[in-house]
């Protein structure tokens, strides 16, 4: 903190024209505040069972836009660290981000990303394009590479509604690797330890032109399959009323499905599993 800030006045850097990126501003003037700063000396790695990790998140496009969902479990090694973690967050009105990986760093990165998008819009007077939002998040992940190499990786999943895209293509999905590699996915994708099983379920259940209800049921089925085969992924906990988080982004913006709706769909899905334990078959 500078002498002027200690006296209750903002430093000169706050009044100097510069970048529209809040992350770049922090990098230049307050790097210690960035969640991506290196926490350990070189050669030191984090013990994998000492920090809560979030697991499975997924997204799929549907008739009106894109749906993004996640289970609620966080684990530390073989322990359940949290049963009701929220892994799906709005980034702005038409963008959402979900995460797998180190929970503490992921939550800080999501908050910083939210500020980044708001800061850009206030400085430039217009929102970023969806492609620019994806590239900006990729840059933030790349800044975390040092921590990822020390065992503290964060792997987000980004979805958004693109008003400039052709009809039926407005819902878009972006995935990333720990080095900030950016990949746009078609139709559906999943990240986290249960993602191979979730993607397998979505490959079976997904079809173009799904309604919101059908897309939500497909997401719940995929998360259920992930929880069946991956101990780090939490299935629905009906007794505790802990259900997956399911959100959609349409032309009208971001909306988290009400808990009553998610609970009803979850109970319907679980009831179906009583007669068909392996889930529904592929749509012809």
């Amino acid at each position: 903190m500078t002498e002027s800030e200690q006296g209750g006045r903002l430093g000169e850097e706050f009044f100097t024209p510069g970048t529209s990126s809040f992350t770049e501003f922090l990098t230049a003037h307050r790097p210690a505040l960035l969640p991506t700063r290196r926490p350990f000396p070189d050669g030191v790695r984090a013990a994998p069972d000492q920090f809560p990790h979030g697991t499975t998140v997924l997204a799929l496009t549907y008739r009106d836009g894109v749906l993004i969902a996640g289970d609620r479990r966080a684990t530390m090694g073989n322990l359940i660290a949290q049963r009701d973690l929220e892994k799906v967050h709005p980034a702005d009105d038409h963008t959402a981000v979900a995460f797998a990986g180190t929970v503490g760093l992921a939550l800080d990165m999501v908050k910083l990303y939210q500020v980044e998008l708001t800061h850009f819009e206030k400085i430039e007077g217009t929102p970023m394009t969806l492609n620019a939002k994806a590239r900006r998040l990729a840059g933030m992940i790349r800044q975390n590479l040092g921590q990822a190499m020390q065992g503290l990786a964060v792997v987000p999943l980004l979805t958004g509604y693109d008003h400039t895209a052709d009809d039926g293509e407005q819902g878009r999905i972006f995935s990333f690797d720990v080095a900030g590699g950016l990949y746009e996915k078609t139709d559906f994708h999943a990240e986290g330890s249960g993602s191979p099983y979730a993607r397998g379920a979505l490959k079976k259940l997904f079809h173009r032109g799904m309604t919101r209800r059908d897309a939500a049921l497909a997401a719940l089925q995929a998360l259920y399959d992930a929880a069946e085969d991956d101990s780090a992924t939490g299935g629905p906990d009906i007794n505790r009323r802990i259900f997956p988080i399911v959100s959609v982004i349409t032309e009208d913006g971001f909306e988290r499905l009400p808990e009553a709706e998610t609970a009803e769909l979850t109970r319907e899905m679980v009831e179906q599993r009583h007669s068909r334990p392996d889930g529904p078959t592929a749509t012809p």
Side-chain angles (χ1 to χ4, degrees):
M1 185 175 291
T2 64
E3 291 183 11
S4 62
E5 287 173 327
Q6 289 174 347
R9 300 189 305 276
L10 292 175
E12 177 110 2
E13 62 271 19
F14 288 92
F15 302 98
T16 304
T19 177
S20 58
S21 169
F22 185 71
T23 304
E24 290 180 9
F25 176 82
L26 285 183
T27 301
H29 302 289
R30 298 291 186 277
L33 296 179
L34 287 169
T36 52
R37 64 188 186 277
R38 179 172 294 183
F40 304 123
D42 289 339
V44 177
R45 286 184 57 84
D49 58 350
Q50 296 300 311
F51 298 90
H53 276 67
T55 49
T56 310
V57 294
L58 59 84
L60 66 152
T61 60
Y62 73 108
R63 184 177 62 193
D64 299 323
V66 61
L67 178 147
I68 185 167
D71 81 310
R72 307 293 297 276
R73 179 173 292 178
T75 59
M76 288 194 305
N78 65 328
L79 301 178
I80 297 176
Q82 187 172 349
R83 301 179 187 275
D84 59 352
L85 177 66
E86 298 204 6
K87 305 175 187 176
V88 179
H89 302 267
D92 63 13
D93 290 343
H94 289 89
T95 317
V97 61
F99 66 84
T102 307
V103 172
L105 290 179
L107 290 174
D108 279 352
M109 188 179 292
V110 168
K111 293 174 184 176
L112 180 60
Y113 185 58
Q114 291 167 334
V115 173
E116 180 80 8
L117 299 188
T118 301
H119 184 265
F120 179 93
E121 185 170 351
K122 288 184 180 298
I123 295 297
E124 299 293 337
T126 184
M128 285 188 198
T129 65
L130 186 54
N131 286 336
K133 293 174 187 177
R135 290 193 297 270
R136 190 60 59 91
L137 183 55
M140 293 173 64
I141 297 167
R142 193 171 299 115
Q143 289 180 333
N144 191 57
L145 181 59
Q147 294 193 93
M149 293 298 98
Q150 293 176 315
L152 300 176
V154 176
V155 184
L157 183 62
L158 181 70
T159 59
Y161 187 91
D162 189 349
H163 291 87
T164 66
D166 296 335
D167 287 344
E169 305 294 331
Q170 292 97 335
R172 299 174 66 188
I173 302 169
F174 300 89
S175 71
F176 308 84
D177 61 34
V178 295
L182 171 62
Y183 314 93
E184 183 164 4
K185 300 298 182 178
T186 302
D187 297 335
F188 60 85
H189 190 62
E191 292 287 0
S193 60
S195 61
Y197 314 107
R199 285 198 297 267
L202 290 174
K203 185 181 293 187
K204 176 178 66 173
L205 299 174
F206 177 84
H207 59 88
R208 292 290 183 97
M210 300 174 79
T211 65
R212 180 172 112 160
R213 188 177 192 279
D214 288 342
L217 278 171
L220 292 171
Q221 294 278 11
L223 290 171
Y224 193 98
D225 278 353
E228 284 264 285
D229 290 297
D230 173 45
S231 62
T233 302
D237 191 335
I238 294 177
N239 291 333
R240 292 187 176 92
R241 295 190 56 80
I242 299 174
F243 305 101
I245 293 176
V246 181
S247 298
V248 296
I249 311 172
T250 66
E251 185 177 8
D252 296 328
F254 175 90
E255 178 190 357
R256 175 170 168 171
L257 269 61
E259 183 175 318
E261 181 178 353
T262 306
E264 178 186 351
L265 292 173
T266 299
R267 289 191 173 93
E268 178 181 333
M269 182 267 297
V270 171
E271 185 64 29
Q272 292 172 357
R273 291 279 178 149
H274 290 163
S275 58
R276 191 183 287 274
D278 293 331
T281 57
T283 303

